[in-house]
Amino acid sequence: MRKKMIAGNWKMNNTPAEGAKLVQDIKAAADAATCDVVVCTPFVCLPSALEAAKGSHVQVAAQNMHYEDKGAFTGEISSVMLKDMGVTHVVLGHSERREYFAESDQTVNLKTKKALMENIVPIVCVGESLEQRETGIAFDWIRMQVKLALLGIAKEDVKRVVIAYEPIWAIGTGKTATDEQANEVCGVIRSALKELYDAETADEMRILYGGSMNAKNAQGLLAQSDIDGGLIGGASLKAEDFSTIIGFAG
Ligand code: PEP
């Protein structure tokens, strides 16, 4: 049985004080649940979120990191710095970073390897655009993204990687993939993992769905056979909605 994960991607939202309050407000739901609950906060919110999460089941993630330990990389944050603070997870290759900040499959791969070295759980995002879906290349595209992200990662390590399937056309648009569409692609990802590694590894790895998941549609999505949780943007900013989603994951 794969442990479900509910991860809230706050994106560029919340001040440190607002973030601490949000963590306080979701603690009860997180503590009552058996799934992993993660909040992916802006860098400046990490200290207050970590403080607020102390003693609870809420885990704290960054939304990006650099693959070098230190050096002349103005504006960047390293995995060593995150680890030192107590950050346990990191979102890598979000489509917004790929689109606006030149994140590539190659840098996602470097960062994924580095996060694993640092014992930080990488949540690696993949997903197709609407055009790719309409032209029938979505599955090939996603298989390629998964393969490139995991290039050179050994079987013993890859099990710690979490993959998030996030169709770009569903992110922040209010358009959600249907339960079947989302499960179909998560199944494609699992088959790719089986080809790259083996059936046992593919069965153990967690695959999340992300794209306008909310308190109304989460129950159906989370009940699908190949969906092991959610990466949630907008709805993760509302404690009540996020708590409801955590409740559906159990
Ligand atoms: C996301 O940011 O990863 C996301 C899925 O956003 P939203 O839930 O707002 O579509």
Side-chain angles (χ1 to χ4, degrees), residues 9 11 94 96 166 170-172 210-213 231-234:
N9 177 16
K11 310 195 189 200
H94 191 282
E96 287 153 14
E166 297 213 309
I171 297 179
S212 299
M213 190 187 271
L231 180 57
I232 298 130

Side-chain angles (χ1 to χ4, degrees), residues 112-125:
T112 304
K113 288 196 256 194
K114 183 66 179 152
L116 289 171
M117 269 170 64
E118 222 59 61
N119 227 358
I120 295 174
V121 176
I123 302 172
V124 177
C125 303

Side-chain angles (χ1 to χ4, degrees), residues 104-119:
S104 68
D105 289 317
Q106 192 196 5
T107 54
V108 171
N109 176 244
L110 290 169
K111 291 176 181 189
T112 304
K113 288 196 256 194
K114 183 66 179 152
L116 289 171
M117 269 170 64
E118 222 59 61
N119 227 358

Side-chain angles (χ1 to χ4, degrees), residues 5 55 60 83 90 94 108 138 164 183 200 216 226 235 239:
M5 174 184 285
V60 179
K83 178 79 185 174
V90 64
H94 191 282
V108 171
N183 197 46
E200 193 208 329
K216 290 204 174 77
D226 276 308

Side-chain angles (χ1 to χ4, degrees), residues 165 182-191 207-209 226-227:
Y165 165 54
N183 197 46
E184 183 179 33
V185 180
C186 291
V188 166
I189 294 171
R190 207 173 298 286
S191 315
I207 304 172
L208 315 182
Y209 167 77
D226 276 308
I227 300 180

Side-chain angles (χ1 to χ4, degrees), residues 120-177:
I120 295 174
V121 176
I123 302 172
V124 177
C125 303
V126 296
E128 82 285 5
S129 65
L130 188 57
E131 194 186 352
Q132 287 166 332
R133 176 161 279 267
E134 285 174 352
T135 48
I137 62 161
F139 294 176
D140 292 329
W141 176 259
I142 287 158
R143 287 165 58 84
M144 183 195 70
Q145 284 186 316
V146 170
K147 283 187 181 181
L148 291 175
L150 301 180
L151 212 61
I153 297 176
K155 192 171 90 169
E156 315 68 79
D157 296 322
V158 81
K159 291 178 185 176
R160 289 182 283 137
V161 176
V162 176
I163 308 273
Y165 165 54
E166 297 213 309
I168 297 167
W169 49 270
I171 297 179
T173 57
K175 276 190 213 163
T176 321

Side-chain angles (χ1 to χ4, degrees), residues 22-99:
L22 185 47
V23 171
Q24 291 292 354
D25 292 347
I26 63 166
K27 262 185 182 178
D31 287 351
T34 53
C35 66
D36 281 338
V37 176
V38 183
V39 289
C40 315
T41 87
F43 289 126
V44 296
C45 294
L46 290 172
S48 66
L50 283 161
E51 184 60 33
K54 262 189 195 152
S56 79
H57 286 166
V58 179
Q59 301 174 87
V60 179
Q63 298 173 12
N64 183 31
M65 56 167 239
H66 200 276
Y67 49 83
E68 295 289 352
D69 287 347
K70 59 180 177 175
F73 301 103
T74 303
E76 290 291 319
I77 302 283
S78 79
S79 56
V80 175
M81 298 168 185
L82 296 175
K83 178 79 185 174
D84 185 67
M85 297 178 79
V87 169
T88 49
H89 298 64
V90 64
V91 177
L92 297 175
H94 191 282
S95 60
E96 287 153 14
R97 295 222 56 91
R98 292 180 191 258
E99 185 177 349

